[in-house]
Amino acid sequence: MFDPIESARVFGAPLGVDFPKALVDGVLARTKDQPPEALARIELFVNTSRMQSRVRSLFSGQTRFLPRIRLITDLAQDPALSNVPQPVAPLRRRLELRQLIAALIEREPDLAPKAAVFDLADSLANLMDEMHSEGVHPKDLQQLDVGEMSEHWARSLKFISLVERYFGDASKEAPDVETRQRMVIEATIQKWHADPPAHPILIAGSTGSRGATAMLMEAVAKLPQGAVILPGFDYDMPPEIWAQLRDALSSEDHPQFRFAKLMDRLGMLPTAVMNWTETVPNSPQRNALVSLALRPAPVTDQWQVEGKTFKGIEPATRDLTLIEARTPRAEAMSIAVILRRSVEDGVPVALITPDRNLTRQVTAALDRWGIEPDDSAGRPLAQSAPGRFLQHVARLMCEDTRAETLLTLLKHPLTHSAPGMRGDHLRWTRDFELQVLRGGIALPSQDTLAQWATRHADDTARLKWIKWFDDTFLNKAVPGETDLEALVDGHIALAERIARGTSDGGTGELWERTAGKRALEIVSNLAENGQYGGTLSAAAYRDLFRSVLNTGEVRDPVTPHPHVMFWGTLEARVQGADRVILAGLNDGIWPELPAPDSWLNRKMRLDAGLLLPERRIGLSAHDFQQAIAAKEVYLTRATRDEDSETIPSRWLNRLCNLMGGMSDQGAAQLDAMRRRGDVWIALAQQLDDVQTRLPPEPRPSPAPPVSARPTRLSATGVTKLIRDPYAIYADKVLHLRTLPPIQQESDALVRGTVLHRVFERFAQETALPQDQPKEQERLMQIAHEVMQDLVPWPATRFLWLARIGRIAEWFVAQETQRRMRSENLANEVWGEVTFEHLGFTLGAKADRIDRRNDGQLEIYDYKTGTPPNAKMQKHFDKQLLLEAVIANLGGFRDLSEHQTASICYIGLTPKKEERTDLSQADVTIAQAEFEALVQAYQDPAQGFTSRRSVHMQRFEGDYDHLARFGEWDDSFDPTVLEVGR
């Protein structure tokens, strides 16, 4: 296939060439005049399975023998290398490291917190893989000159020394995947040295970024019939610039650095790299422009010379469009519009970006046109239905049973998913939520469940469901530390029981479909390696399970649009499209910033022979350089994110700076690129423009028929009728009521209930206080007992007890004065009066009623907030005035008609009494005003106006959204609307 040469045999494919197609064309061209079996003798190694599939598809155009197309990792399957030990699973190695790190931290707690064990194990495992691949032994690290970082390095060495047992020929541990791969490559090279293969061996598509792979490429390039074909080789870069790439510290992030390093290993110059085919790039001028823009930082001063003499800026940028959208959403919408136009034009288009959030936004935008993209990355398994379900179950194992956790699981589509049983499950879940969970203060328990079951004793199917719920969900928290194997087995068993429901067998739909099968693989792998995980708490297991689940991805089983592709940067290397969109071009996204290294700094990595953090940036730069060389390219970015201005990607920034300063023509072409982008931004904006403006809703004042209006209200309801009549309409006419919270929190409503209960008990059990300090102690004892029953939150109990303690002295002193002039008659007593001539009933529950020595009544109301002043009571807050009316008419239970001498709000925080003395005339006036109010709302023309006279404008009412508040404000006149007629 090749003529003999003395040097290594290295070929390249220029930027902008479809590399897999060029690879196949070159192979076919070189075997054109050879017998058919010559093609079958070729052994072709590629670096990814996607590359392998694409090359095979390109070879299958006609009947012919095919080369042996293999992955580089397939070398490990060579039967001749069976003496190399088999590798252990990566998960097993990480679990082993977790145990070693946990034991070290147990001995030396100052090294790191226990919560960091998993992160440290992952980080150390990655470092170990890299050391194996690059051939670096831990002893090499111990010899580094650490200078002023001796303290940090000593800490790091304690962790790194843990992995020394996995290195060297004397190691008794089974190798991991990276170790065995290097061992296989070394054995293969030795075999080739002893007996060089006569058939052609090609390595194509790899950049040699990892040490073991670069070693294999070096060996293949020197074989008699071996060759290396490099993707995206920059033939426009001058020799003196190639020479600048020898310094890793300053050039590792350059897109061609890995090729320069490979040339040094092979002892050849980059100019000796031959063209694999005669295929012409899409735009040679653009290749030259981008090559100039991406020059190493120390030589960018050459822009001033080469930029001014650059020829062909117009053809280089003719098919380049720059979109700089204001927000990520605007960027996503602009991309979606381009994809939509491409579908109309029948042009295959590829979106290339590492930003998964952006691709999800674009996918959502395409949904309006029914376009399903072919997303090569799929979505994280942790975000699939089985992934989320399993994480919820893991959460159930490590915390007390909470209402939110229960409902999240009960309503999950995989819960109780056996055929034909889902409907009843959802119905009973709804009943359980409304009747048991919502508004409850205590955590769900077997007692509350048993009480609910007694209400449905005649429903056999429901009782079976309640029994399943009791056995499956309550008290599943695993205390202390347990073997990982037991935790995994318990997790799987519990998940299957929840998915199965009340059916006798099976696992519901948990392990079905693509996502379920992938989740089963991940969970089974964890179960198989659980014996190496040691013991850990349920909370630690939850974190471990989440990290393991995040390693999986799943593709939805849908038929995507054949011409709309979403590619990651890795997939883009082996695919070809005439129109591409390079999106998310902001620093931190593309390229992604290097993650902090817990172990070594850049200088130490270089001295040790490890990869620098900029390696990933260099690989991303090479992906960018290849992608921007496509025929038609759109470059997109968002100028702002959720928090602040964004920084353009360094490559885009270089390109714009070069074009803006190279010449007037360059600046003009840059403006033209931006103008073309503005067209797409404007089109995307039109999608959000309001085509038909709807007028705002008026301020409602619905007027239902008199027969539908309420015929009874409480005293507090009358206050609401005065302030916000619409709330009465929604509650009493439409019968709409707000749902209680899923899990009652320590809000103002609970605080009011508790404080009322405390002072009610104190008033009932106290005569005339004699010893004030002792009465204060008794008040605090009552408060403690009440809160022990009604307040399940320890911190809240502490705060509320402290609050009562601050007012105890004041309250007991005031109570002494009250008892000197009156006796406590009733507490929390209900009363009501029916006005026959109106057909209306007024009711109220009085917090406290005392009888004075002269026989008249005093009515009290405890307020946890600021009590209303006299003016507010006169015009709006008529609760106590109306209670005085009820008392005057003998409406309170077990109390005859009595004149009310005063009404009083007892403000607890702040400490304040708002007392109003009453005469018989005052009560009569209050009754007359109430009757007038009722009569007014018995007029069919009287509407229930929304927010008629609210106390605080900034506070929203329960029904403001129903009234469309916000489309109008309190300055608008109400519009009476006849309803229900």
Side-chain angles (χ1 to χ4, degrees):
M1 184 174 181
F2 301 112
D3 295 329
I5 59 174
E6 294 184 1
S7 64
R9 191 177 290 107
V10 180
F11 297 90
L15 295 158
V17 169
D18 185 349
F19 180 74
K21 188 175 185 306
L23 173 64
V24 172
D25 290 344
V27 170
L28 294 177
R30 286 169 173 77
T31 57
K32 178 176 59 176
D33 299 326
Q34 298 184 22
E37 64 272 14
L39 197 59
R41 296 181 64 245
I42 297 174
E43 193 169 7
L44 174 59
F45 288 95
V46 295
N47 57 334
T48 67
S49 58
R50 291 184 182 276
M51 178 80 161
Q52 184 184 44
S53 300
R54 178 97 195 282
V55 171
R56 279 177 177 164
S57 67
L58 291 171
F59 268 117
S60 61
Q62 56 182 299
T63 303
R64 59 163 70 99
F65 289 111
L66 293 181
R68 286 173 288 169
I69 306 171
R70 306 172 63 190
L71 297 176
I72 293 176
T73 53
D74 288 346
L75 282 172
Q77 302 173 9
D78 189 342
L81 303 175
S82 58
N83 58 327
V84 179
Q86 291 299 312
V88 299
L91 179 59
R92 169 183 166 179
R93 185 66 81 226
R94 277 164 167 73
L95 292 175
E96 291 174 345
L97 288 177
R98 191 207 75 83
Q99 287 200 75
L100 294 173
I101 293 173
L104 176 61
I105 293 177
E106 190 70 30
R107 294 192 302 269
E108 302 184 48
D110 293 340
L111 287 177
K114 287 186 176 181
V117 169
F118 291 117
D119 293 335
L120 288 172
D122 284 340
S123 179
L124 191 57
N126 292 334
L127 176 63
M128 192 171 74
D129 287 345
E130 185 181 337
M131 292 168 64
H132 280 306
S133 179
E134 303 301 318
V136 177
H137 195 281
K139 292 181 179 178
D140 299 331
L141 301 182
Q142 296 172 6
Q143 299 171 6
L144 293 176
D145 180 13
V146 297
E148 298 178 354
M149 296 173 293
S150 57
E151 184 176 350
H152 170 77
W153 180 234
R155 184 186 298 263
S156 297
L157 270 181
K158 290 186 178 182
F159 289 99
I160 295 175
S161 63
L162 296 175
V163 305
E164 193 169 338
R165 60 194 291 182
Y166 299 108
F167 286 81
D169 297 334
S171 174
K172 298 180 180 179
E173 301 289 342
D176 56 28
V177 175
E178 286 289 342
T179 307
R180 189 174 192 275
Q181 181 68 10
R182 187 177 182 92
M183 295 168 66
V184 165
I185 289 175
E186 290 173 344
T188 301
I189 293 173
Q190 290 178 2
K191 183 178 69 172
W192 286 345
H193 282 166
D195 183 17
H199 65 279
I201 297 180
L202 311 178
I203 292 185
S206 177
T207 62
S209 62
R210 301 301 293 260
T213 306
M215 186 194 315
L216 179 65
M217 293 170 68
E218 180 183 358
V220 168
K222 294 179 179 179
L223 291 175
Q225 287 296 308
V228 171
I229 303 102
L230 302 177
F233 191 83
D234 188 352
Y235 286 99
D236 294 294
M237 199 156 61
E240 60 271 18
I241 304 303
W242 280 104
Q244 292 282 338
L245 298 183
R246 291 176 178 170
D247 182 9
L249 283 175
S250 62
S251 304
E252 179 87 32
D253 60 351
H254 191 275
Q256 301 292 313
F257 172 80
R258 274 134 295 281
F259 296 156
K261 187 176 180 180
L262 180 64
M263 297 302 104
D264 286 344
R265 293 183 64 136
L266 293 171
M268 60 185 294
L269 296 175
T271 52
V273 176
M274 301 169 282
N275 251 314
W276 178 247
T277 65
E278 299 301 322
T279 307
V280 179
N282 292 308
S283 176
Q285 298 91 342
R286 191 189 306 158
N287 287 357
L289 177 66
V290 175
S291 176
L292 178 59
L294 299 184
R295 293 281 172 86
V299 295
T300 50
D301 59 313
Q302 295 176 356
W303 289 358
Q304 299 178 7
V305 177
E306 296 186 44
K308 293 179 180 179
T309 60
F310 187 86
K311 303 297 182 183
I313 185 65
E314 193 279 330
T317 60
R318 183 184 301 126
D319 293 320
L320 278 181
T321 300
L322 177 57
I323 296 175
E324 295 179 303
R326 182 65 178 162
T327 64
R329 184 181 183 278
E331 180 187 8
M333 293 301 298
S334 302
I335 294 170
V337 172
I338 297 171
L339 297 174
R340 177 71 173 87
R341 175 61 62 85
S342 300
V343 171
E344 286 188 2
D345 297 342
V347 177
V349 58
L351 169 62
I352 304 174
T353 180
D355 188 352
R356 298 302 301 163
N357 288 330
L358 180 60
T359 58
R360 281 192 284 270
Q361 290 186 65
V362 175
T363 301
L366 289 174
D367 190 56
R368 71 171 65 197
W369 299 301
I371 298 175
E372 182 73 34
D374 184 3
D375 192 343
S376 63
R379 60 191 174 115
L381 179 62
Q383 296 180 10
S384 67
R388 293 183 185 276
F389 176 80
L390 291 169
Q391 290 180 85
H392 294 320
V393 176
R395 181 182 172 190
L396 191 66
M397 297 169 59
C398 61
E399 62 182 31
D400 291 334
T401 307
R402 297 178 58 84
E404 296 93 333
T405 308
L406 286 177
L407 286 182
T408 300
L409 267 172
L410 286 171
K411 294 185 178 183
H412 193 282
L414 292 178
T415 298
H416 214 292
S417 54
M421 307 186 72
R422 179 75 177 164
D424 283 339
H425 165 75
L426 290 177
R427 179 164 58 87
W428 295 328
T429 296
R430 180 201 62 193
D431 293 345
F432 179 68
E433 175 186 354
L434 295 177
Q435 299 171 15
V436 179
L437 292 183
R438 286 196 175 271
I441 293 180
L443 296 175
S445 65
Q446 292 179 325
D447 290 339
T448 56
L449 203 62
Q451 292 173 11
W452 187 56
T454 58
R455 297 163 56 183
H456 305 281
D458 56 343
D459 191 340
T460 306
R462 186 191 294 257
L463 291 178
K464 183 179 180 181
W465 183 89
I466 294 174
K467 179 67 167 59
W468 163 79
F469 177 90
D470 187 359
D471 295 340
T472 306
F473 289 94
L474 297 184
N475 305 319
K476 294 304 173 185
V478 180
E481 294 193 347
T482 309
D483 288 340
L484 177 58
E485 284 184 291
L487 286 169
V488 176
D489 292 342
H491 185 191
I492 296 174
L494 182 58
E496 291 180 344
R497 194 187 317 159
I498 294 174
R500 179 171 60 245
T502 57
S503 61
D504 296 329
T507 59
E509 298 180 2
L510 176 58
W511 309 125
E512 297 181 4
R513 303 179 185 174
T514 305
K517 293 174 182 177
R518 180 68 179 126
L520 182 58
E521 292 177 10
I522 296 286
V523 172
S524 300
N525 183 34
L526 181 59
E528 291 172 5
N529 294 281
Q531 58 184 308
Y532 305 104
T535 61
L536 62 166
S537 66
Y541 169 75
R542 176 196 59 197
D543 297 337
L544 168 66
F545 183 78
R546 185 188 302 118
S547 66
V548 171
L549 205 61
N550 282 329
T551 62
E553 290 185 341
V554 62
R555 297 192 66 185
D556 292 326
V558 297
T559 303
H561 197 286
H563 290 165
V564 180
M565 289 80 70
F566 286 3
W567 295 336
T569 55
L570 182 63
E571 292 81 17
R573 300 175 192 174
V574 299
Q575 306 287 352
D578 289 339
R579 181 179 292 175
V580 299
I581 304 168
L582 309 186
L585 286 171
N586 283 327
D587 241 31
I589 297 177
W590 199 5
E592 183 181 2
L593 296 179
D597 192 336
S598 306
W599 315 109
L600 305 163
N601 63 20
R602 295 174 71 246
K603 180 67 167 57
M604 295 164 68
R605 279 183 160 274
L606 182 66
D607 294 343
L610 294 172
L611 303 173
L612 293 181
E614 289 80 4
R615 166 184 168 270
R616 288 187 178 276
I617 296 179
L619 291 174
S620 294
H622 189 243
D623 295 335
F624 173 81
Q625 191 177 22
Q626 290 187 93
I628 199 175
K631 182 177 181 181
E632 184 181 359
V633 180
Y634 295 83
L635 308 171
T636 78
R637 62 177 291 261
T639 59
R640 286 189 63 89
D641 59 14
E642 294 82 357
D643 302 318
S644 60
E645 296 283 343
T646 57
I647 300 174
S649 170
R650 60 193 68 186
W651 315 309
L652 180 61
N653 208 18
R654 279 168 164 258
L655 182 62
C656 293
N657 289 340
L658 171 61
M659 293 179 63
M662 64 191 302
S663 63
D664 292 341
Q665 190 179 11
Q669 292 303 319
L670 179 60
D671 289 340
M673 289 167 55
R674 287 194 168 109
R675 285 196 300 273
R676 290 192 288 270
D678 291 341
V679 172
W680 296 105
I681 294 175
L683 287 173
Q685 181 62 43
Q686 291 180 22
L687 294 175
D688 290 334
D689 288 343
V690 178
Q691 303 298 323
T692 303
R693 285 197 176 275
L694 298 176
E697 287 293 321
R699 182 179 187 178
S701 184
V706 174
S707 59
R709 302 189 182 205
T711 58
R712 63 181 301 130
L713 282 177
S714 65
T716 53
V718 173
T719 299
K720 187 175 293 185
L721 181 65
I722 296 171
R723 289 196 175 276
D724 190 5
Y726 188 88
I728 295 298
Y729 164 76
D731 182 7
K732 304 301 182 182
V733 178
L734 300 182
H735 303 290
L736 299 175
R737 294 172 181 83
T738 57
L739 282 176
I742 294 176
Q743 184 70 54
Q744 183 65 58
E745 300 293 340
S746 54
D747 55 14
L749 180 61
V750 176
R751 185 173 70 248
T753 301
V754 169
L755 293 182
H756 276 68
R757 185 73 59 83
V758 170
F759 294 110
E760 174 191 351
R761 272 192 57 184
F762 182 79
Q764 286 177 337
E765 299 173 7
T766 302
L768 178 63
Q770 301 294 335
D771 187 342
Q772 289 211 10
K774 186 175 294 185
E775 293 299 325
Q776 292 174 33
E777 291 179 9
R778 197 167 63 81
L779 175 61
M780 295 306 299
Q781 179 62 33
I782 292 173
H784 179 78
E785 294 172 0
V786 170
M787 291 189 190
Q788 200 67 36
D789 292 337
L790 300 182
V791 184
W793 312 284
T796 302
R797 282 200 301 267
F798 178 81
L799 291 174
W800 289 358
L801 281 170
R803 177 174 294 184
I804 294 177
R806 288 193 293 270
I807 66 171
E809 181 180 357
W810 171 83
F811 182 83
V812 171
Q814 294 295 108
E815 183 68 15
T816 301
Q817 296 180 19
R818 284 189 287 270
R819 290 305 178 92
M820 291 177 65
R821 65 174 180 267
S822 62
E823 63 172 336
N824 181 238
L825 201 58
N827 297 280
E828 294 292 325
V829 60
W830 176 259
E832 64 178 42
V833 173
T834 300
F835 298 88
E836 300 293 347
H837 62 291
L838 297 176
F840 198 91
T841 300
L842 172 66
K845 178 182 281 188
D847 285 353
R848 173 175 175 174
I849 300 178
D850 286 4
R851 182 165 54 200
R852 296 199 323 186
N853 297 333
D854 61 4
Q856 297 187 78
L857 300 182
E858 291 183 337
I859 302 177
Y860 294 94
D861 188 76
Y862 301 115
K863 283 289 183 185
T864 54
T866 303
N869 56 37
K871 286 187 177 180
M872 294 171 64
Q873 294 181 49
K874 177 176 176 59
H875 298 289
F876 302 107
D877 297 323
K878 296 179 175 290
Q879 176 188 348
L880 291 188
L881 282 172
L882 293 177
E883 289 180 9
V885 170
I886 296 174
N888 192 54
L889 298 176
F892 281 109
R893 188 177 60 245
D894 300 329
L895 295 178
S896 58
E897 298 178 8
H898 282 84
Q899 171 65 34
T900 302
S902 67
I903 55 176
C904 180
Y905 286 98
I906 302 176
L908 302 175
T909 51
K911 298 178 289 186
K912 181 181 181 182
E913 279 195 358
E914 192 70 44
R915 180 180 295 276
T916 302
D917 293 327
L918 298 180
S919 65
Q920 181 62 39
D922 294 329
V923 177
T924 303
I925 291 172
Q927 179 177 339
E929 290 175 346
F930 167 73
E931 293 180 2
L933 179 67
V934 172
Q935 288 175 338
Y937 278 96
Q938 289 180 342
D939 181 355
Q942 176 63 49
F944 290 76
T945 302
S946 180
R947 295 174 62 89
R948 175 182 172 273
S949 183
V950 293
H951 182 204
M952 292 288 187
Q953 299 261 348
R954 67 179 183 273
F955 292 149
E956 293 184 359
D958 292 336
Y959 303 98
D960 284 357
H961 60 295
L962 186 64
R964 308 293 288 270
F965 177 62
E967 296 184 38
W968 52 269
D969 60 36
D970 294 324
S971 66
F972 282 44
D973 292 329
T975 301
V976 177
L977 306 169
E978 291 188 357
V979 294
R981 304 186 188 183

